[in-house]
Amino acid sequence: MIKIQLVKGRSLLACKAEGHALFDKKGQDIVCAAVTVLLRTAAQTLEKRPGVSFSGEEPVKGRLAFEAKADRDSAAAELKFAADFLQKGFESLVKEFPQNVQLECKLEE
């Protein structure tokens, strides 16, 4: 099972995913691929955004984490969009593959 923790705040977005979906064999697992594409695309996009401080790691297969903080108000709106986008994507995967993906979403002030 892939366990995802998403933390959303006014000027913060943090996400951590660990585990393997075990929906199919390695290299053919569509659930793992979907989670990976969502996370990597969000991370690679936020890493390059002006006004966003970004740190991330992918130390081993099956684990990816990042944190993005808005350094100015204009970047806060971008983080909110990215957080909402990730949440909707993960919720869709949880609905379709509840035995393979688990989502915990936290709101911070």
Side-chain angles (χ1 to χ4, degrees):
M1 166 152 327
I2 299 174
K3 295 182 180 182
I4 302 165
Q5 183 180 55
L6 182 67
V7 179
K8 298 165 57 173
R10 176 170 150 37
S11 56
L12 168 75
L13 166 58
C15 193
K16 177 174 71 172
E18 288 188 271
H20 297 281
L22 304 174
F23 178 77
D24 204 347
K25 60 186 171 185
K26 183 179 176 181
Q28 296 182 9
D29 194 318
I30 61 171
V31 179
C32 276
V35 170
T36 300
V37 166
L38 282 168
L39 284 171
R40 283 188 184 166
T41 303
Q44 290 169 358
T45 302
L46 292 170
E47 183 177 33
K48 306 289 185 203
R49 299 306 299 164
V52 174
S53 298
F54 182 88
S55 64
E57 66 175 4
E58 191 174 6
V60 294
K61 283 192 178 271
R63 188 177 317 150
L64 188 145
F66 70 81
E67 181 176 285
K69 293 182 181 178
D71 297 332
R72 53 184 187 232
D73 287 341
S74 60
E78 293 183 52
L79 287 186
K80 181 181 179 343
F81 176 82
D84 291 346
F85 180 87
L86 284 173
Q87 184 177 354
K88 291 294 181 193
F90 294 145
E91 287 173 347
S92 176
L93 288 171
V94 168
K95 185 177 179 180
E96 192 167 347
F97 303 100
Q99 68 279 12
N100 306 99
V101 182
Q102 179 182 29
L103 175 64
E104 176 187 358
C105 194
K106 295 181 178 182
L107 298 176
E108 288 193 356
E109 295 296 317

